[in-house]
Amino acid sequence: MTDSDTVPPKPKVVRPADGRPGRVRRLTGLAVAAAVTAALAVGFFATSRRPASYSLRLSAGSERGHRHEIATALAGGAASGLTIDVTPTGGSFDVLDRLADGELDIGLVQGGLARGAGAEGLRHVASLVAEPLHLLVPADRAEKDFSSLFRGRRVNLSTPSSGTRRLAEQVLEFAAIDAATYEAGDLGYEAVAGQLATADEAFAGPEVLFAVESLPGRFADLLVTEHGFTPVSIPFAEAVCLRDRSLEVVTIPAGTYRAWNPSVPAGPVVTVAPRLTLLARDDVPAEAVERLLAVLYEGDVRLDAELPRIDASDLDAGRELPLHDGASAYLRRNEPLFTTGLVDSIESARSFAFSALVAGFLIWRWTARRRAVRLEEYFDEISDIERRAFARLGRGEWDAAARDDYLDRLTTLKATAIEAYSSGRIDGHDQFNGFLQHVADARATVRSLGRG
């Protein structure tokens, strides 16, 4: 009797590397996926938590100006979790100084002023309406040439801390109007209005005035309707704008301040205009600025402050400072969900995912086939057991112990094949039924050996 006849052959079965049933592996994968999803959800919740409220300090200059009305409308329409405290100041430069010193968080100022030293800690939040420069003169002097409007006249340039004065001096300097040829005044709008309201025949008020305000200007309307002034054009407005990109050419339509008898202005008035700009300190939380812009563009601020149409798409028009993070976030919030770039990206991702799935399936099939047990190998094992049994019978070595040995081999082979079939490593239901029948026939043959 040889060793090969006494030791049962080891079935050719390939088991999974980890030895775990497929169902256990799937459940483990689902558990891991659930744990990762829960971790991501917790992380998202933790990072998306918002502070309960923000408090912002805002100024828009004089409390008699239109800008202050806009600031008040912003404060009145503040959303839940956002409070705004409005403080009057002396003008745009005063607002900028207080922003730089940390006394204010946000400010409405005349465009074109937030440049140079002191602007490092400031950020652009929004550009609002154009504020035309009104050059106002008595109606009987409106036809004079530009330089003669000022010669020997009392010219009010507004307060030293105002953007109006800075722009007025810029225009006069461009026109080469010598300051020595006129008497400069430094009254604010409110002071001028007060003097004109109480003036008698002996009062020598300003004869020429500058004002920067959105249309129709409150101060300009007062001067036109109550004191006989009219706005006149700046003949070189376009040239001034070429040298200062914060300005734009604007036309004050005929009849803006009086429709007839006579119309004021009598015809279109061409002038320059900065944009009213909303600035914020760079340390103001982005979420607070985003909420503020929601109030500005989505609330009733435009109606309450009597503003013309304002649109978030013009938010960064003519900006001179970096955009605040909160403004950037608000712009992204208003972008369409499905842009052309996003659709292209989705299509590319879809194509890549499909290709990856096909490749993964092919690799899986190739791996599965390498790991699979061919059923023919089990049939060969049955034939080999029968061959060895007949060989021992022929040598006269067959007895009850030999019979039981070969019956055990067939039982072990059958059990191994059933395990492989159950785990999916053997395909073909009909073929497997044939294998089981072949095992049964072989067992019957082994039992019958030596009985004849």
Side-chain angles (χ1 to χ4, degrees):
M1 184 180 299
T2 63
D3 291 341
S4 61
D5 289 332
T6 59
V7 179
K10 184 177 181 180
K12 300 177 181 179
V13 177
V14 180
R15 297 180 179 274
D18 55 7
R20 293 180 297 178
R23 183 180 179 186
V24 174
R25 293 196 300 273
R26 288 193 296 271
L27 291 176
T28 301
L30 289 174
V32 171
V36 171
T37 302
L40 291 175
V42 171
F44 175 79
F45 175 77
T47 56
S48 62
R49 294 180 63 189
R50 297 179 175 178
S53 63
Y54 295 99
S55 179
L56 300 177
R57 298 162 298 173
L58 166 66
S59 180
S62 170
E63 61 183 339
R64 291 291 297 272
H66 187 209
R67 294 175 193 166
H68 188 78
E69 294 180 17
I70 298 173
T72 302
L74 273 173
S80 175
L82 181 65
T83 58
I84 300 174
D85 180 28
V86 181
T87 303
T89 54
S92 291
F93 283 110
D94 192 12
V95 173
L96 290 171
D97 289 340
R98 296 193 184 203
L99 283 169
D101 293 341
E103 298 177 23
L104 296 173
D105 301 305
I106 50 177
L108 280 165
V109 301
Q110 178 178 309
L113 303 181
R115 290 180 286 194
E120 293 82 1
L122 302 182
R123 293 293 181 267
H124 181 95
V125 173
S127 295
L128 302 181
V129 296
E131 295 183 310
L133 175 67
H134 290 69
L135 173 56
L136 297 149
V137 301
D140 60 359
R141 295 183 56 81
E143 301 301 323
K144 299 287 185 178
D145 67 87
F146 190 77
S147 60
S148 65
L149 292 174
F150 305 94
R151 190 176 303 115
R153 303 295 174 180
R154 296 180 297 276
V155 180
N156 192 69
L157 304 175
S158 193
T159 60
S161 63
S162 67
T164 299
R165 188 181 187 94
R166 186 259 192 188
L167 185 54
E169 291 175 341
Q170 182 179 347
V171 168
L172 293 174
E173 181 180 355
F174 184 85
I177 305 297
D178 190 347
T181 63
Y182 61 86
E183 180 183 341
D186 57 4
L187 298 176
Y189 300 164
E190 185 176 355
V192 170
Q195 284 195 358
L196 292 176
T198 58
D200 54 27
E201 295 182 359
F203 172 71
E207 300 171 279
V208 179
L209 301 102
F210 285 96
V212 174
E213 50 186 350
S214 57
L215 295 176
R218 310 289 200 275
F219 181 60
D221 188 62
L222 173 67
L223 293 179
V224 169
T225 57
E226 300 292 334
H227 304 288
F229 284 79
T230 187
V232 295
S233 292
I234 297 175
F236 42 84
E238 188 171 352
V240 173
C241 293
L242 290 176
R243 289 163 172 78
D244 188 342
R245 298 297 182 178
S246 69
L247 301 175
E248 55 188 278
V249 178
V250 171
T251 298
I252 301 174
T256 296
Y257 295 104
R258 182 182 295 146
W260 65 87
N261 292 331
S263 295
V264 180
V269 170
V270 179
T271 184
V272 299
R275 275 187 174 267
L276 177 60
T277 304
L278 181 61
L279 302 179
R281 292 172 53 83
D282 58 3
D283 57 2
V284 173
E287 174 63 23
V289 170
E290 189 176 353
R291 292 189 193 182
L292 178 67
L293 289 174
V295 172
L296 176 63
Y297 290 113
E298 300 168 22
D300 293 329
V301 172
R302 184 180 71 84
L303 299 176
D304 295 341
E306 299 182 7
L307 286 170
R309 185 190 69 86
I310 55 175
D311 196 295
S313 62
D314 299 326
L315 181 149
D316 61 347
R319 67 180 177 87
E320 301 173 284
L321 297 174
L323 201 61
H324 196 284
D325 289 344
S328 298
Y330 185 80
L331 286 176
R332 289 194 299 271
R333 186 175 71 170
N334 284 276
E335 290 177 351
L337 179 60
F338 291 101
T339 62
T340 301
L342 179 59
V343 172
D344 291 342
S345 298
I346 292 174
E347 178 61 24
S348 298
R350 185 194 65 81
S351 299
F352 175 79
F354 179 76
S355 300
L357 286 174
V358 170
F361 175 75
L362 294 175
I363 292 173
W364 174 80
R365 289 288 297 171
W366 177 79
T367 304
R369 286 180 179 178
R370 286 181 60 88
R371 295 176 57 222
V373 179
R374 293 175 59 85
L375 195 58
E376 289 83 353
E377 297 179 3
Y378 288 98
F379 280 100
D380 292 342
E381 292 290 340
I382 296 174
S383 299
D384 187 62
I385 290 173
E386 289 180 320
R387 180 185 59 79
R388 293 173 182 273
F390 278 107
R392 292 185 65 173
L393 178 65
R395 293 195 301 270
E397 299 173 354
W398 190 257
D399 54 18
R403 183 191 64 226
D404 292 343
D405 176 35
Y406 281 94
L407 288 175
D408 288 343
R409 295 188 188 194
L410 289 170
T411 300
T412 300
L413 181 63
K414 178 181 177 181
T416 303
I418 291 174
E419 191 277 333
Y421 179 76
S422 299
S423 64
R425 289 182 286 115
I426 293 179
D427 294 327
H429 177 75
D430 293 338
Q431 289 182 332
F432 189 71
N433 285 336
F435 164 77
L436 295 178
Q437 184 59 50
H438 193 24
V439 171
D441 292 343
R443 290 175 63 86
T445 298
V446 169
R447 287 194 184 96
S448 67
L449 289 179
R451 293 181 180 178

